[in-house]
Structures are given as structure tokens and as C-alpha cells.
Amino acid sequence: MKISRKISILLIAIILLLIFTSACSSNTSTSSQNNQSKESDFIKIGHLVALTGDASMWGQSEKNALEMEVEKINKSGGINGKQIKIIAYDTRADAVEAVNAAKRLVEQDKVIAIIGPAQSGVSNAISSVTEQAKIPFIATTATNPLVTVPKEGQVRKYAFRVCFIDPFQGRVAAQFAYTKLNAKKAAILYDVGSDYSSWLAKYFEDSFKEIGGDIVAKEAFRSGELDYRAMLGKIKQANPEVIFIPTAQKEAALAAKQARDLGIKATFLGGDNWGSPDLVTLGGSAVEGAYFVNLTAIEDPDIQGFIKEYKEKFNQDPVLPNPVMAIDALYMLIDAIKRAGSLDGMALAEAMEKTKDLKVLTGNLTIDPATHNPLNKPAIIQQVKDGKFIYVEKYVTH
Amino acid sequence: MLLQTLITGLSIGGVYALMAVGYSLVFSILNFSNFAHGTIIMLGAYIGYFLVSHIKLGFYFSFLGAILGAALLALINVKLAYDPLIKRKAPPLYLMITAMGVSIFLENMVYVTVGSHFYSYPEIFKKSSINILGSEIGVLDFFALIFSFVAIYLLHLYLTKTKIGTAIRAASYDMTAASLYGVNMSKLIGIVFLLAGCFAGLAGVFMGMKYMVYPTMGWITNKAYIAAVIGGLGSLPGAVIGGVILGVLETFVSVYISSVIRDVFSFTLVIVFLIIMPAGLLGKYLEEKV
């Protein structure tokens, strides 16, 4: 008796739930139909961005900046008489989430192109969706070469990026160390468990040797390592003038601390993954004077107008580099729309391939048709001084 | 280079020893691996960090606070999670599984309440190092090494010179016989966990100062486990010796062979020990006690 009563209650609950959900879904479908009739006047652009999770600090700022820029463009009449509408989905910097969101953007929202994602791994993952749907995406800060040119060597037709790539970054670091820091002997400490770290280490090594420098020590550790003193002891013996540490900020901060404990006086040098305030909070005085390559910096003279606007609107500094890179991507897309004269994905991708000397926030953008990477993209060198990041110079390799 | 490697190894080994002592202390009485020990170390590191950088209690009081806090947490742990099992005379395996559960629970509690952020202790010792015959040792490492050995020596005195210490040692040989001689087992287990907690707090603060503070930092107790196996599970001098040997060996492997295979080497070592010398260097062959 008792059991049958429980079952009937359960059944009623299920029926109620079904009625409720079907009511809800019919609601949404009608409302979306209403919207669709209005939305034909819009140019719909997807935005894949990490709004929660570890990378949300950058992602939220990126979303703000993009909305601010689109608002400005729409106020001044839009593109070809149409208003731009950004549809942003949270990726949590997670590949699975991003693939689902990308599917939604191309299948349901019918966007013409996607701005983002920011991470190399996530960008690689969504390319399967975009290639099939023939919808181009423009990665913002994904520096791994494989994002646009996978291992097979054939460029992905619908994958683009506005940031430099790791071979370039390694070359910038090597040339900066050799010519500006006057270092002839360099050591490398890298994470063997991370693709980013081990490839960047290799690119640095190749470039540094090529211009006549000497790599006196190359030591590796495994991801999650806490104690680097054994490797640093070996590096100390080799007596390098700079130590290149192409890792995330927390490993770099710890390694720098332990290197100073061992009495190592060399200058530290890093890549764009250092660009987080954690480097200074974790590294303290040990990272003072360290240099790193970045995509952009708040003091970059070229982006002062944007920084001012952002500050006025949101009452805080943007968290760089993502907002700036996303706006560069938006400019690149708008330029392609204007030149293609169509909103078709294939036409847009073809136009994007031919982007040449386009004025964007970070300088002039030219896309290499063979790789879909920007050509001659300048890099920013930053230094840690008095616990803050300062702009040193804009650097273009020779 | 040789001396530098040795010094680096010793200072790493000192912390391993501190962790292994707390571990062995529990093992010697209850004959089970307390996997929650690493989590208590992590919590000790957090307590110390919040006292020193948020409440600004000053370093020495924060240090004391971390030790007492970790000891209290270890006591709560035993009272809530292990005591009910011990009272029902559950086999050690059940205690071990409970310890794993406690460890996962506490780690996730930290994720939910404090977050996954990395924290760093303020720089208490300015970046300076002591030069010994041309090799550098950081002041913090030097201090940690000395302090570890002093703490371990004090524990040794406590265990050999006091009545409770004698009771603990007696119970570690035979719990039933000790209780027949009038030792209050429940109280004794509480004291053992309090002591282990003190060592966890101590190790936590050193770990936090040397490296940083984050929710999964307790994983490093794997190394304490290896150290305890090498030295002999349940033997306190064994834990110290095992810790130091492991620290020095790992550093030598990193320097002279490859830093990448260091952990492969450590875990191979523990397998070899378990096969050839299951009782470790100083351990005794144990039978089920609980």
C-alpha cells in the first residue's frame, strides 16, 4: 500500500515536471521566433570566452571590451547599414564546454564568425566544429602554432589568429637577451610535461644558438614540481647570464625564489604566460628585474585611447592582453566583411586570408595566407620593477 | 657541486622527515596509514598563512597558531572519524579507507570555502643565503633543517623520558597488553594524534614558506610514506633516517642522472624495499594489532 502511494506521488511529480518543462520550452521557442524576425537586421558574431574558472579574470575583461567596441560601431551606423550583435558563451577555458558552445553558435544562433577562444588547446578543439560548418574563428591569444596549421601541415581554412606564435616569441626572447641584455651564455629551465613550455624552450634555444649565443645548461622538471634546487644547482655551475623559464607564473616565481636562495645572480626571462599579478605575489623580491615577452602592455603608447575609454566606462583597468586582442580580431572581421561584400563563411575566410596592413589596436595587421598567422607582429617586453610590471619596449625581430 | 647537492638534499630531507614522523607516530600505534596526514599539513599551512598575513599576528605566534590549529584538527579527525571504528574493532584497512575519505573531504572543503588560489607567505627571511665552503644554503632552509631536527629530538625525549611517552612506546609494541596494564587507550590515541598534528602544522608552515600554499599541497605526503617505508614503518628514528635518505637521494638523482626521472626512481626504491626489506631499515615486522 505504502509503496504504491509513493509510486503514484512520484508519477504525479514526473507528469508535473514534464508539463512545466514543455511549457517552458514552448515559451522559449516562440520568443526566439519573435526575435529571429527582428534579428535578420543584425550581423551576428559569436564570442567564445572563459567567463568562469581560472581564466575568467581575462575573459570578463575581454567580454566588456568587445561589447564596448561594438556599441561604438553600432552607434556610428554599424557595418553596411546593419547592426552588430555579439553572442557570447562561457567556455570555462575547457575544451568540451567550448565545443558545445561552438556548435550552438553555428547551428542555433547562425553566427557568421566567432571571436575567440583564448587558449591554444580550446582553439584546437573547436576547429573541428568550425571547419565542418565553414564558419571562421579568430583566436585571440592562442600562441601554439598547431591552432592554425595542424601536424599534417595543411592550414585550417577557417582558423585564424591575431596574436604572435611561440616560435616568434622564442625568437624575440633570444634576440632580446643577446642584443639588449648583452647575454652570451643562457640557461633554460622548463616543464617537460607542458607542450607550451617545452616547445618555447626549444624555439628559444634554436634562435639563441643561431645568433651566436651559447646555451650552457638546459634543465627540465615535471609539471607540479615544487623544488627546483637540484636543477638550479647545475645551472649555477654553468654560470649563465640569463635564465629563460618558459613556464606559467607560479613555477617561474618559485624557481626564481629558489635560484636567489642558491645565490644565482642571473637575469630571469620568460614568456607571455608570466603576465599575471601572481608572478609578483608569489615571487616577491626574487622576480625583481625579470623580463618577459608579452602580447601587449597597459603602457603601450598605441593602445592608450582604448585604455582611457575602458577606464571611463568600467571604472577599472582592463586585464590585458585579451581585451585588446579581441578588439583586433573584431577589426579584422569587420574589414573582411567589407571586402567580401557577403556574410558567407567561405567568402569571409577568403577575405581574411588577404588581410593586409590593416590598422588595428596593436599596430598593422597582415595575415600570412599560408599559415593564417599575423606577419611581423610586434611583441612587448615587460619588466618587473618595484613589484609592478613596466613597459620596456615594443620589439620586432630581425 | 657535491657539497651543494648534499646540502640541498638535506634541507629537502628535513621536511620529508618532519612529515614522516607524524605519519609513523600514528602507524606505530594503530598500524594503519593515515592518508589524512597530508591534508592536516595543508590545513596547517593555511592557518599559518592567514594568521601571519591577514590577522598579522607576527611570525612566531602564527607559527604557534598553525601548530596548535593542526593539532586540534588532527584530534577532531580522530574523534569524529576514527574513534567510532576503533571502538568497533574495525580492521586497519577500514581506517585507511576512512582516512582517504577524510582527506578528500577536507581538500574539497578548502576548494569550496577558500578557493583554488595559490598563496605565498610574506618574506620573513630576506633573500640571503649562508655560504658554507663555497656552497649556498638559504637562511630559511638552514632554519628549517635545524628546527626539524630539534623538534624530532624533543619528541624523542618526550617518548623516552615521560610516563605518557613510555605508554605510547608500550602500546606501539602491543596495544592489548598495554591496555591490560592500565593504559587508557582512547586517551593515548588522542595524544598520539595531537603530537602527529603538531608535526603536521610544523611541516605545513615550512612547506608554505619554502614553496606556497594551495589545496592539493598534501600530495607530497606520498614522499613521507616512501620515507617511512624506507626507514621502517612505525619506527620514529627510521622515519627521520628515511626522510633524509630520500631527500638526499632524490637530489643526487636530479643532479647526476635526470630531474625528470626523479619520482620514477623514488617509487622504484619503495617497491624494491617492500620486496627485499619490507620492514625497512629500522622497522619491526608487524602483525595486525587493532
Side-chain angles (χ1 to χ4, degrees):
Chain A
M1 193 61 195
K2 256 185 187 170
I3 292 170
S4 67
R5 193 187 294 162
K6 268 185 188 168
I7 289 174
S8 57
I9 290 172
L10 197 70
L11 274 174
I12 292 168
I14 290 171
I15 291 164
L16 281 176
L17 198 70
L18 281 174
I19 293 169
F20 181 71
T21 46
S22 64
C24 279
S25 62
S26 67
N27 262 345
T28 48
S29 65
T30 47
S31 72
S32 69
Q33 266 165 11
N34 285 342
N35 282 344
Q36 257 170 15
S37 58
K38 283 181 212 159
E39 278 174 7
S40 57
D41 310 332
F42 286 106
I43 294 176
K44 284 196 274 183
I45 299 171
H47 186 204
L48 288 177
V49 56
L51 297 175
T52 56
D54 282 351
S56 58
M57 192 165 76
W58 289 276
Q60 282 171 1
S61 196
E62 178 180 319
K63 187 168 180 277
N64 285 345
L66 208 54
E67 275 168 3
M68 179 181 92
E69 204 63 26
V70 165
E71 202 182 296
K72 228 168 64 188
I73 294 167
N74 284 344
K75 260 191 195 152
S76 60
I79 305 298
N80 299 342
K82 281 187 174 184
Q83 297 276 293
I84 297 178
K85 187 177 182 187
I86 296 278
I87 301 168
Y89 289 134
D90 182 17
T91 64
R92 279 197 267 159
D94 178 85
V96 177
E97 293 278 338
V99 167
N100 290 337
K103 277 188 184 151
R104 230 165 108 194
L105 283 175
V106 297
E107 285 164 14
Q108 285 179 25
D109 301 312
K110 310 249 181 267
V111 297
I112 58 151
I114 297 168
I115 292 176
Q119 300 78 17
S120 297
V122 178
S123 304
N124 269 330
I126 71 147
S127 65
S128 58
V129 177
T130 51
E131 289 294 300
Q132 215 178 18
K134 297 190 167 45
I135 296 293
F137 79 92
I138 310 169
T140 50
T141 61
T143 53
N144 191 299
L146 298 180
V147 170
T148 52
V149 187
K151 281 201 181 91
E152 304 80 54
Q154 185 72 35
V155 66
R156 281 182 182 136
K157 198 160 170 25
Y158 297 92
F160 295 85
R161 78 175 106 217
V162 281
C163 57
F164 56 59
I165 54 170
D166 289 336
F168 172 80
Q169 185 174 187
R171 199 158 65 237
V172 169
Q175 289 190 4
F176 178 77
Y178 192 82
T179 56
K180 301 283 168 148
L181 299 179
N182 237 338
K184 305 294 173 254
K185 288 193 288 178
I188 302 172
L189 178 68
Y190 70 101
D191 178 353
V192 76
S194 142
D195 271 353
Y196 168 81
S197 186
S198 38
W199 281 103
L200 198 49
K202 190 188 160 350
Y203 298 132
F204 175 86
E205 185 184 3
D206 292 350
S207 301
F208 198 71
K209 279 184 186 159
E210 202 182 288
I211 47 177
D214 203 3
I215 301 287
V216 288
K218 191 180 179 192
E219 294 295 318
F221 59 86
R222 277 182 44 239
S223 308
E225 177 64 73
L226 289 176
D227 212 298
Y228 309 90
R229 279 173 298 177
M231 310 108 202
L232 287 167
K234 267 167 107 175
I235 288 176
K236 190 191 171 193
Q237 274 231 313
N239 201 20
E241 288 143 330
V242 297
I243 305 176
F244 184 55
I245 314 177
T247 61
Q249 75 282 10
K250 67 173 200 295
E251 285 97 355
L254 260 186
K257 256 184 175 174
Q258 291 167 16
R260 291 290 182 247
D261 276 351
L262 287 175
I264 293 175
K265 304 269 185 312
T267 308
F268 302 120
L269 194 63
D272 63 319
N273 266 10
W274 278 26
S276 149
D278 278 359
L279 182 76
V280 180
T281 41
L282 297 175
S285 58
V287 293
E288 267 299 304
Y291 293 92
F292 63 97
V293 184
N294 208 345
L295 291 154
T296 179
I298 216 133
E299 299 91 343
D300 181 352
D302 291 346
I303 60 166
Q304 290 314 307
F306 160 74
I307 303 274
K308 195 167 156 263
E309 270 175 53
Y310 189 98
K311 257 181 148 164
E312 272 167 14
K313 191 165 167 73
F314 300 105
N315 227 353
Q316 60 186 18
D317 277 334
V319 187
L320 297 183
N322 298 45
V324 170
M325 305 315 285
I327 291 178
D328 276 9
L330 178 70
Y331 285 166
M332 178 173 155
L333 179 60
I334 290 172
D335 173 66
I337 294 171
K338 284 179 180 165
R339 281 188 293 112
S342 149
L343 294 180
D344 174 57
M346 199 189 288
L348 285 177
E350 272 164 18
M352 275 186 205
E353 238 178 39
K354 296 187 188 102
T355 305
K356 203 164 181 247
D357 287 326
L358 172 70
K359 180 90 192 75
V360 292
L361 276 185
T362 54
N364 284 333
L365 183 72
T366 301
I367 293 291
D368 178 1
T371 59
H372 290 186
N373 299 325
L375 284 171
N376 296 326
K377 184 100 186 166
I380 302 284
I381 304 284
Q382 281 187 289
Q383 189 185 20
V384 183
K385 211 167 193 182
D386 300 322
K388 286 200 178 73
F389 294 160
I390 60 155
Y391 172 82
V392 178
E393 61 181 307
K394 195 167 246 186
Y395 202 86
V396 183
T397 53
H398 322 297
Chain B
M1 191 66 201
L2 198 73
L3 186 68
Q4 178 75 65
T5 311
L6 189 70
I7 290 175
T8 304
L10 277 174
S11 65
I12 294 173
V15 179
Y16 286 170
L18 263 185
M19 295 192 291
V21 164
Y23 207 74
S24 268
L25 209 56
V26 172
F27 193 95
S28 70
I29 301 286
L30 293 172
N31 198 12
F32 87 100
S33 292
N34 181 18
F35 286 119
H37 192 62
T39 325
I40 304 287
I41 290 177
M42 178 264 291
L43 291 171
Y46 269 98
I47 295 171
Y49 170 77
F50 279 107
L51 289 180
V52 78
S53 36
H54 290 267
I55 305 187
K56 312 236 181 273
L57 211 52
F59 175 64
Y60 292 100
F61 281 107
S62 306
F63 199 44
L64 204 67
I67 292 173
L68 293 178
L72 192 68
L73 285 170
L75 190 66
I76 295 171
N77 178 15
V78 72
K79 289 294 166 209
L80 290 183
Y82 306 149
D83 255 7
L85 286 170
I86 295 169
K87 283 205 179 101
R88 265 179 266 161
K89 301 210 183 304
L93 182 67
Y94 285 50
L95 284 165
M96 208 160 90
I97 294 167
T98 310
M100 281 179 186
V102 168
S103 147
I104 294 166
F105 170 79
L106 289 176
E107 213 174 276
N108 281 295
M109 280 304 283
V110 173
Y111 269 120
V112 173
T113 52
V114 189
S116 57
H117 228 77
F118 289 81
Y119 296 101
S120 183
Y121 274 71
E123 290 176 352
I124 291 136
F125 300 99
K126 283 285 156 233
K127 291 279 156 262
S128 56
S129 38
I130 305 163
N131 195 311
I132 304 170
L133 300 171
S135 294
E136 303 278 344
I137 178 167
V139 178
L140 171 64
D141 283 327
F142 187 71
F143 185 73
L145 188 64
I146 301 288
F147 212 88
S148 307
F149 286 114
V150 168
I152 291 163
Y153 183 68
L154 286 179
L155 176 70
H156 172 74
L157 284 184
Y158 180 77
L159 289 179
T160 47
K161 304 282 180 211
T162 65
K163 224 170 138 183
I164 299 172
T166 314
I168 291 174
R169 282 185 300 135
S172 79
Y173 276 99
D174 195 328
M175 228 167 135
T176 326
S179 66
L180 284 176
Y181 279 92
V183 176
N184 181 341
M185 271 306 144
S186 169
K187 203 173 143 195
L188 193 77
I189 290 169
I191 290 170
V192 165
F193 269 88
L194 267 179
L195 284 174
C198 285
F199 274 83
L202 202 62
V205 173
F206 280 133
M207 295 271 305
M209 273 162 57
K210 272 169 91 132
Y211 310 121
M212 48 194 165
V213 184
Y214 56 99
T216 46
M217 64 187 282
W219 69 267
I220 202 161
T221 22
N222 283 341
K223 294 294 172 62
Y225 182 68
I226 297 177
V229 170
I230 294 172
L233 275 168
S235 154
L236 296 184
V240 177
I241 292 168
V244 172
I245 287 179
L246 185 69
V248 172
L249 259 179
E250 276 192 346
T251 315
F252 271 88
V253 169
S254 300
V255 171
Y256 293 105
I257 304 172
S258 162
S259 51
V260 181
I261 66 152
R262 192 200 62 190
D263 282 2
V264 177
F265 187 87
S266 311
F267 285 96
T268 312
L269 191 71
V270 81
I271 293 168
V272 169
F273 255 95
L274 284 172
I275 293 169
I276 299 170
M277 280 178 85
L281 293 172
L282 299 177
K284 50 196 189 303
Y285 286 88
L286 290 160
E287 280 155 29
E288 296 249 314
K289 283 190 297 189
V290 178

